Amino acid sequence: MRKQVDNSVASRLVNCGMVVLISSTYKDRNNITTCAWHMPVSKEPPLIAVALAKGHFSSFLIKHSKEFVVNIPVWEQIDKVILCGRLKGKEVDKFKETDFTPSLSCGLKKAVSISECVASLECALVDIKESGDHFIFIGKIVYAEAEEKYFYNNVWDTKKVEFIFHLGGRNFFKSSSLIEMDNG
């Protein structure tokens, strides 16, 4: 038997997204925000979109700097990831509060990546779309890197690394081992 799901949480039926950390910099301020609403939107050019609340400090930083970094944390970092989602970047330095290390970008002018994450995608902002109470930031990937012991043959080895996924609210789960299917 099916039951009606309130429209305010209906997106949770389709979104159990991998959690990433968005780092951004403008002038002398760095910030990190937790994000589960993101997706690739083009292969050529390589574009990725992230949805952030309009009032978030990161939204301000990205709008003004025109760049951001998508960092991929692992399950062992979940406490720091949750802390990045709870703290207000206008009030505290999230790098200091979490002991994450900012690392200079290879393809951007100012935005920093997070050294402790297993991968990062450096993005130059190409467009902003307003969508309800969020901005959708579309960035062109100008540089990406990943830990080679976890990412090879162009795929993550989830037998060696566990990622964080968000179901909504206080509910999270970790990735399971890769299952290779026969497409023949």
Side-chain angles (χ1 to χ4, degrees):
M1 175 181 224
R2 291 182 177 224
K3 70 172 188 169
Q4 183 174 3
V5 175
D6 190 275
N7 289 345
S8 66
V9 294
S11 67
R12 292 181 181 175
L13 294 171
V14 295
N15 182 51
C16 57
M18 178 186 203
V19 175
V20 298
L21 294 171
I22 307 298
S23 54
S24 52
T25 303
Y26 179 63
K27 294 189 177 179
D28 63 342
R29 295 293 306 271
N30 291 327
N31 195 41
I32 306 169
T33 193
T34 305
C35 177
W37 291 3
H38 54 84
M39 67 178 185
V41 293
S42 173
K43 285 185 179 182
E44 190 53 46
L47 302 176
I48 189 166
V50 298
L52 300 177
K54 289 180 177 178
H56 280 188
F57 187 49
S58 290
S59 292
F60 171 83
L61 296 177
I62 294 169
K63 283 178 76 173
H64 287 83
S65 70
K66 310 278 191 258
E67 54 186 41
F68 60 93
V69 181
V70 178
N71 302 275
I72 302 175
V74 295
W75 184 257
E76 291 79 19
Q77 298 165 322
I78 191 164
D79 291 336
K80 291 181 178 187
V81 168
I82 291 170
L83 189 58
C84 285
R86 287 189 180 147
L87 296 174
K88 296 189 183 301
K90 286 181 186 175
E91 299 171 7
V92 300
D93 181 336
K94 293 184 189 181
F95 278 96
K96 286 182 182 173
E97 294 293 323
T98 59
D99 288 325
F100 278 138
T101 308
S103 178
L104 293 177
S105 298
C106 292
L108 301 174
K109 292 178 183 170
K110 296 256 328 185
V112 295
S113 62
I114 301 169
S115 295
E116 292 81 5
C117 287
V118 296
S120 60
L121 298 89
E122 298 177 10
C123 300
L125 186 66
V126 296
D127 202 359
I128 302 172
K129 302 289 185 189
E130 286 193 47
S131 184
D133 58 355
H134 280 61
F135 288 119
I136 299 173
F137 295 101
I138 301 170
K140 180 179 179 184
I141 301 168
V142 297
Y143 181 81
E145 63 183 14
E147 290 288 338
E148 62 185 331
K149 65 183 174 184
Y150 303 132
F151 188 82
Y152 51 89
N153 294 330
N154 295 323
V155 69
W156 287 110
D157 183 348
T158 56
K159 291 178 183 163
K160 294 182 179 176
V161 65
E162 296 173 316
F163 297 107
I164 306 166
F165 288 82
H166 186 231
L167 290 168
R170 296 171 50 190
N171 303 296
F172 295 85
F173 69 96
K174 57 185 165 182
S175 59
S176 61
S177 293
L178 171 75
I179 300 171
E180 190 171 343
M181 303 296 287
D182 180 14
N183 291 333

